[in-house]
């Protein structure tokens, strides 16, 4: 211990002058001993983690790029970025810092500018490990545009703008992105993305996971990501959720917080210590609205599933890995890995066992209740890491064909269908990333095209694991023809037996076996991002998919088959067999719910337009109709059957 103190004393003398020696005891307690513990994650697995940002990080001699990036940052720029959201009167913000020296401040101040002057509204300690500071401000006025500044004493600051809620806009735009590989020609910059996103000027940004691929060094990875996107994140709300690579695993089945046997993760659980996982989630998700049910899972790991309303569009944010069962030990191995199936003759039902989890009961309960609550909402969408199907054939290379990849949300199939029914009940579109292949899919649950629409965005940098949609028979799918310039659209079954309808796919152009990270292939590997437009006035949704090097300001150059526009009502594709009597309301745009009395199933809960509405049904029998301003709280008809007539509703 004495030698450590001598090292610290020498550092402070060298960097700050002899006068600071008198303050060494307090410096040790407040800055060094608490914020520079070299092994903050405990356990043998935790010892090598984040070494470039823990202990005497300034002496770390690891990877040259990593060392240079972490150790040469100008001290006036150690606040890398800030991200925020605000909803229901609460502003939440995270300031992310580079590692600090022992003689630097250990608190960050949040100020807002009012009448041309900065006003301090909060001050918070920096949290170690992870080097983040977190602010929660209640009674936030979401109608004003407010400049903000986060400061590390007088040493460093970072400024941005807190936007008002765009409730008066007819169209709400969300940019959706994921898979930010560091294997790129411009490691520290994403200029083409920043330029295009500025042109689009989205109301919100969604980063769906794999912000970092630096498994054992999350602080470096998230700082690298933050420096790349700081200029676009600082001025608008940001939804950021971690995926498998963020928590240091090639794949991830959370198993409710269990401990995985290896970084492959296929036994279920987390491989690295809980404190490391907590750091990752704290840095990436703390600024989201508070969790719907914050009860921790095993190992004391937290949850963040919640919802965020932006301009009248209600986004549910779910964790589609955290509760999911791992394949290894739960189902028979039917391929080279426990999560890969290659035998086309296997029984699809053999892997869909009753005890397997996907979202878990807690998140299904959340989606069920969220779908019935339309307070402040006109449209809904669900955001998560990955897709509810296996819309991929070729994995990593053109010669690696898999029948099924159990990393996707298409498995377990029963859990997949349960989740999709909740989306369908409220007409929610699904947005996600992860797959390294952008697609538009309409899900089938009981029949083709009876489920919601889904958009998987492309990889920001697609040099880790490129993928292709490439049916083995190279034939167009079944069902009514899709209007598309692409050949392989229509109805298909994925390798798990799930019904899907392919509308669009953005394959990499490479076909001759060259590596996707070849410098000559930079514009052909299908790097890009998504932009989704929710038009509240028309209830139409437009999906755009832009290549990384497109010039968005020209209005041209999207991937073939994009953009695609569809009605919100298409998120429920069940066959309508009849209509109940017309409802006439005293006020406009109420919420209507239809319930099948025989089964007790909620068929749908939706905000209707205008003062008249005729509820649809999907079979014979009797139905209950409930209505309310924002929730279906009042029964206006029970034992209602299809037919003509009207019901006056005092809502």
């Amino acid at each position: 211990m004495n030698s450590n103190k001598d090292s610290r004393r020498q550092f402070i003398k060298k960097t700050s002058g002899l006068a600071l020696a008198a303050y060494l005891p307090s410096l040790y307690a407040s800055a060094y001993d608490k914020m520079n513990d070299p092994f903050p994650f405990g356990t043998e697995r935790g010892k090598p983690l984040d070494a470039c940002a823990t202990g005497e990080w300034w002496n770390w001699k690891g990877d040259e790029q990593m060392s240079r990036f972490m150790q040469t940052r100008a001290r006036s720029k150690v606040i890398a970025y800030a991200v925020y959201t605000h909803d229901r009167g609460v502003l939440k913000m995270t300031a992310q810092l580079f590692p600090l020296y022992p003689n630097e401040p250990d608190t960050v101040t949040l100020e807002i500018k009012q009448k041309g002057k900065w006003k301090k509204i909060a001050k918070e300690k920096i949290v170690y490990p992870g080097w983040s500071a977190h602010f929660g401000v209640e009674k936030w006025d979401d109608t004003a545009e407010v400049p903000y500044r986060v400061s590390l004493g007088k040493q460093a600051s970072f400024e941005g703008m807190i936007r008002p809620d765009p409730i008066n806009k007819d169209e709400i735009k969300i940019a959706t992105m994921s898979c930010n590989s560091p294997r790129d020609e411009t490691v520290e910059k994403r200029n083409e993305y920043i330029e295009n996103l500025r042109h689009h000027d989205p109301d919100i940004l969604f980063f769906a996971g794999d912000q970092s691929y630096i498994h054992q060094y999350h602080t470096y990875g998230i700082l690298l990501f933050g420096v790349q996107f700081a200029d676009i994140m600082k001025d608008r709300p940001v939804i950021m959720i971690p995926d498998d690579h963020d928590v240091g695993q090639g794949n991830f089945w959370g198993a409710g917080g269990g401990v995985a046997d290896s970084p492959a993760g296929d036994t279920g659980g987390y491989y690295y210590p809980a404190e490391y996982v907590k750091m990752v989630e704290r840095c990436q998700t703390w600024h989201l609205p508070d969790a719907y049910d914050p009860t921790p899972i095993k190992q004391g790991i937290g949850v963040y599933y919640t919802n965020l309303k932006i301009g009248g569009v209600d986004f549910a944010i779910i964790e589609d890995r955290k509760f999911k069962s791992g394949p290894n030990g739960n189902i028979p191995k039917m391929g080279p890995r426990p999560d890969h199936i290659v035998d086309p003759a296997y029984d699809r039902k053999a892997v869909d066992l009753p005890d397997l989890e996907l979202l878990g009961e807690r998140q299904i309960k959340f989606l069920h209740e969220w779908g019935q609550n339309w307070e402040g909402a006109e449209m809904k969408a669900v955001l998560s890491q990955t897709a509810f199907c296996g819309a991929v054939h070729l994995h990593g290379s053109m010669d690696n064909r898999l029948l099924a990849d159990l990393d996707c949300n298409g498995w377990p199939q029963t859990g997949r269908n349960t989740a999709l029914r909740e989306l369908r009940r409220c007409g929610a579109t699904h947005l996600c990333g992860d797959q390294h292949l952008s697609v538009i899919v309409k899900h089938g649950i009981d029949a083709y095209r009876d489920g919601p629409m889904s958009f998987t965005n492309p990889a920001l940098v697609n040099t880790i694991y490129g993928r292709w949609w490439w049916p083995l028979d190279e034939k167009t799918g079944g069902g009514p023809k899709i209007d598309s310039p692409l050949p392989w659209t229509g109805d298909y079954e994925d390798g798990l037996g799930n019904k899907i309808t392919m509308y669009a796919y953005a394959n990499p152009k490479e076909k001759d076996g060259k590596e996707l990270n070849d410098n000559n292939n930079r514009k052909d590997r299908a790097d890009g991002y998504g932009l989704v437009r929710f038009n509240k006035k028309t209830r139409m949704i437009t999906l755009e998919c832009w290549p990384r090097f497109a010039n968005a300001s020209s209005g041209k150059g999207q991937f073939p088959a994009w953009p695609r526009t569809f009605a919100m009502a298409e998120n429920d594709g069940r066959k309508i067999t009849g209509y109940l009597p017309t409802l006439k309301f005293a006020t406009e745009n109420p919420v209507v719910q239809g319930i099948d009395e025989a089964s007790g199933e909620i068929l749908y809960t939706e905000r209707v337009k205008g003062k008249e509405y005729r509820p649809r049904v999907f079979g014979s029998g009797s139905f209950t109709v409930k209505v309310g301003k924002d929730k279906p709280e009042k029964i206006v008809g029970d034992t209602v059957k299809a037919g003509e007539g009207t019901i006056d509703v005092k809502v």
Side-chain angles (χ1 to χ4, degrees), residues 335-354:
R337 295 174 12 183
D339 56 321
H340 285 176
I341 298 175
V342 296
D343 180 7
Y346 90 99
D347 180 3
R348 273 60 170 166
K349 293 181 180 179
V351 300
D352 189 23
L353 303 178

Side-chain angles (χ1 to χ4, degrees), residues 38-50 129 215-218 246-249 252 257-263 269-282 297-302:
F39 306 116
F41 307 110
T43 80
E44 286 301 311
R45 289 183 184 179
K47 283 187 176 180
L49 299 176
D50 235 27
H215 286 192
Q216 294 187 324
Y217 303 94
H218 179 265
D246 295 291
V247 296
Q249 297 181 206
F252 172 52
V259 179
D261 290 351
S262 75
Y270 297 83
Y271 179 72
Y272 289 120
E275 292 305 314
Y276 187 69
V277 177
K278 291 177 185 178
M279 177 193 75
V280 172
E281 293 191 351
R282 180 172 62 245
I297 57 173
K298 296 174 187 176
Q299 301 192 74
I301 294 168

Side-chain angles (χ1 to χ4, degrees), residues 252-260 265 267-270 297-298 321-326 330 357-358:
F252 172 52
W253 299 264
V259 179
T267 57
Y270 297 83
I297 57 173
K298 296 174 187 176
R321 315 280 200 188
K322 184 161 279 182
F323 297 91
K324 185 176 180 178
S325 304
N330 281 320
E357 296 281 359
L358 181 55

Side-chain angles (χ1 to χ4, degrees), residues 186-456:
T186 53
V187 177
E188 297 177 19
K189 296 180 180 181
R190 297 288 183 265
N191 292 344
E192 56 284 338
Y193 285 119
I194 300 302
E195 183 178 347
N196 279 344
L197 289 170
R198 280 178 176 157
H199 167 74
H200 296 306
D201 192 24
D203 299 287
I204 185 168
L205 305 176
F206 172 43
F207 293 97
D210 294 344
Q211 283 69 250
S212 167
Y213 280 87
I214 319 299
H215 286 192
Q216 294 187 324
Y217 303 94
H218 179 265
T219 298
Y220 165 73
I222 202 65
L223 284 168
L224 185 64
F225 158 81
V227 167
Q228 292 164 351
F229 289 97
D231 283 349
I232 198 69
M233 295 193 297
K234 65 186 178 67
D235 293 329
R236 69 206 72 226
V238 173
I239 296 171
M240 189 190 308
I241 56 177
D243 202 1
D244 41 19
H245 293 283
D246 295 291
V247 296
Q249 297 181 206
N251 285 303
F252 172 52
W253 299 264
V259 179
D261 290 351
S262 75
D266 51 38
T267 57
Y270 297 83
Y271 179 72
Y272 289 120
E275 292 305 314
Y276 187 69
V277 177
K278 291 177 185 178
M279 177 193 75
V280 172
E281 293 191 351
R282 180 172 62 245
C283 291
Q284 294 204 27
T285 71
W286 192 97
H287 69 287
L288 298 177
D290 291 348
Y292 168 80
D293 172 6
T295 305
I297 57 173
K298 296 174 187 176
Q299 301 192 74
I301 294 168
V303 299
Y304 56 82
Y305 62 91
T306 186
N307 71 301
L308 172 67
K309 286 172 282 191
I310 299 289
V313 180
D314 192 358
F315 297 97
I317 304 160
I318 59 174
E319 309 178 60
D320 51 20
R321 315 280 200 188
K322 184 161 279 182
F323 297 91
K324 185 176 180 178
S325 304
N328 193 346
N330 281 320
I331 62 170
K333 185 178 178 182
M334 288 173 282
R337 295 174 12 183
D339 56 321
H340 285 176
I341 298 175
V342 296
D343 180 7
Y346 90 99
D347 180 3
R348 273 60 170 166
K349 293 181 180 179
V351 300
D352 189 23
L353 303 178
D355 293 333
L356 297 175
E357 296 281 359
L358 181 55
L359 298 186
E361 291 183 8
R362 290 172 59 181
Q363 291 195 101
I364 291 298
K365 179 176 182 287
F366 161 61
L367 288 174
H368 190 71
E369 296 183 0
W370 168 79
Q372 298 178 71
N373 185 351
W374 285 78
E375 184 177 358
E378 297 181 51
M379 304 177 78
K380 286 181 178 280
V382 172
L383 313 181
S384 76
Q385 283 88 354
T386 197
F388 286 104
C389 63
V392 177
H393 297 110
L394 308 179
H395 297 246
S397 67
M398 296 291 292
D399 57 1
N400 184 32
R401 179 176 291 272
L402 298 178
L403 183 64
D405 181 356
L406 303 183
D407 175 62
C408 75
N409 282 348
W411 178 80
Q413 298 95 314
T414 295
R416 175 254 190 191
N417 291 337
T418 299
L420 290 175
R421 286 189 178 98
E422 296 299 343
L423 273 65
R424 182 174 66 183
R425 284 190 180 105
C426 61
T429 304
H430 182 228
L431 307 179
C432 67
D434 174 60
Q435 291 291 294
H436 297 248
L437 172 65
S438 189
V439 300
I440 299 174
V441 161
K442 185 169 179 59
H443 292 287
I445 302 173
D446 301 305
Y448 284 108
R449 312 189 191 207
D450 70 350
M453 299 289 290
S454 178
F455 178 31
T456 303

